[in-house]
Amino acid sequence: MTIRILPAIGDPDAARAVSSLLSQLPDAEPAPAVADSAALLHALAAAQGTGAPAGGAPAGGQPSAVEALPEVVLVHERIGPAPALELIREVALRFPAVGVVLITTDAGPALFSAAMDAGARGVVGMPLGYDELAARVQSAAQWATGVRVHLGGAPETAPGPAGTLVTVTGAKGGVGTTVTAVQLALAARAAGRSVALVDLDLQSGDVASYLDVQFRRSVVDLAGIQDISVRVLQDAVHDHHTGLGLLLAPEEGERGEEVDDRAARQIIGALRSRYEVVLVDCGSQMQSANAAAVELADLALLVATPDVVAVRAAKRQVRLWDRLQIRKAEDTTTVVNRLTRNTEIQPPLVAKATGTQVARTHVPAAFKELQPCVDAGRMQDLDNRSTVKQALCALAGELGLVDAPSARQGRGSHRARPTLTGRKRKAIAPGAAPGSGGIPGQASGPASGTAPGAGARFGARRGSGAASGGPGPFDPSGPYEEG
């Protein structure tokens, strides 16, 4: 949804600052600033079709007149000649389908309450910040669009909820960032959600290699476009046969410099308006584009392996984000990859060292399961019985990307539960003692005629298993087999 914004700012310095920030907003279409209250009312009246700033709104009930108005009007506190609050009240009364946001140096409770009483939809404090301005403009635009639907506007203009944005960043190269991003995207798509997978590892992205994709368009093709329409987005996004929408990194790594933070914000905003889930592979090197993605993310994942080098790299990454005011450590979730029972560095230590939250689901070390799919470039063909795939599906459930039942298929079955070592529990047939090696369905108790149920439950403990030379029921090698 394109948001049309009309700033009403008399101060030239403030007007330049606001225009600079508005140019970075995704899907924003800012108009030149008007210098006073009379010019604002005249511009709104002309847009609505009355032709003059006279009282009332004769054409207000017509859908075309309502839709011609800007969604958001920004009013500076020193607009003049009319006081800002009186101007807001008049705009709210004459043009009820416009969301008004007040820009002020005093954003205290008293002024906030007075602005709300006058009809403002938000207050932004100065000096201006991108996040606060973007949030207030988006909120006012959604409110204005909803009002226009009730006033007779087209129902299709109603804003839908923005898609969930998830970024996956590696603490260092080779920790499994792309595999994690691809499998999370596939899990969300398998749950029935529309998913876009974006490769913002602009110099060395490998999403295309992991999914066996030959492509011509890339994220660079969207960098120079000011208004990304649905048609333009469709031309750049590759429709994969798995159902994923892929926006890939350029084949020539040097072209990645064409994608700056403004372009990244605009591209991500366009994707979120079309897809329910947007997953971004940010690689391990921070640039302006993927830094903007991490800043906007609803969920920011940091992938690390349980070794000293990777944990130190994760700590450096978190500190970098904090210094650049991209993201706080407590708002970051670390995913521990390639974890084994014998690893000295366990997840609690990773959480303590990095200051981040650590996902409850850990991914086991089982490269043998991944190697055939990685070599073939077909990560979508990874076996559903793979412990890595099961762990990443569980992680998707933990993050809310899939419904809980989809993430926990076969919860009651031993065979469906992945373990850190990649072992699978051996199914024990009814009537067979654990570790006795008996044929399923045959009693393995002593030959004294003990009932099959009792023999299976107690016979081995009382000597039947030991007497036969087999392992006891509590032998750790008994109920397991190597996966």
Side-chain angles (χ1 to χ4, degrees), residues 17 44 98 127 195 312 344 380 401 415 441:
L44 292 176
V98 175
V195 183
R312 286 178 177 173
E344 293 186 6
Q380 66 271 19
L401 302 181
R415 193 177 296 275

Side-chain angles (χ1 to χ4, degrees), residues 26-27 228 233 265-275:
D27 297 331
I228 302 178
L233 197 63
R265 293 178 189 275
Q266 191 172 10
I267 292 168
I268 290 173
L271 290 169
R272 294 182 73 180
S273 66
R274 185 183 176 195
Y275 293 92

Side-chain angles (χ1 to χ4, degrees), residues 339-366:
L339 185 66
T340 66
R341 289 178 177 174
N342 299 326
T343 303
E344 293 186 6
I345 298 179
Q346 291 294 314
L349 183 57
V350 176
K352 183 177 180 180
T354 61
T356 62
Q357 305 176 30
V358 173
R360 297 189 304 272
T361 305
H362 316 306
V363 185

Side-chain angles (χ1 to χ4, degrees), residues 48-89:
Q48 194 179 43
T50 61
Q62 301 177 12
S64 59
V66 172
E67 294 170 5
L69 291 168
E71 283 79 16
V72 180
V73 168
L74 301 178
V75 176
H76 191 263
E77 62 179 353
R78 298 180 182 177
I79 178 64
L85 293 181
E86 291 184 11
L87 177 61
I88 292 173
R89 184 176 290 106

Side-chain angles (χ1 to χ4, degrees), residues 393-481:
C393 286
L395 177 62
E398 179 182 338
L399 299 176
L401 302 181
V402 302
D403 296 332
S406 300
R408 300 178 184 176
Q409 293 178 355
R411 183 173 179 177
S413 170
H414 290 309
R415 193 177 296 275
R417 300 183 190 176
T419 63
L420 295 179
T421 59
R423 295 172 179 239
K424 292 186 263 184
R425 293 181 183 269
K426 181 185 293 182
I428 302 174
S436 63
I439 300 174
Q442 293 183 356
S444 58
S448 58
T450 307
R457 224 176 138 187
F458 304 110
R461 177 70 182 262
R462 298 182 181 275
S464 62
S468 62
F474 301 107
D475 188 341
S477 64
Y480 297 89
E481 65 178 1

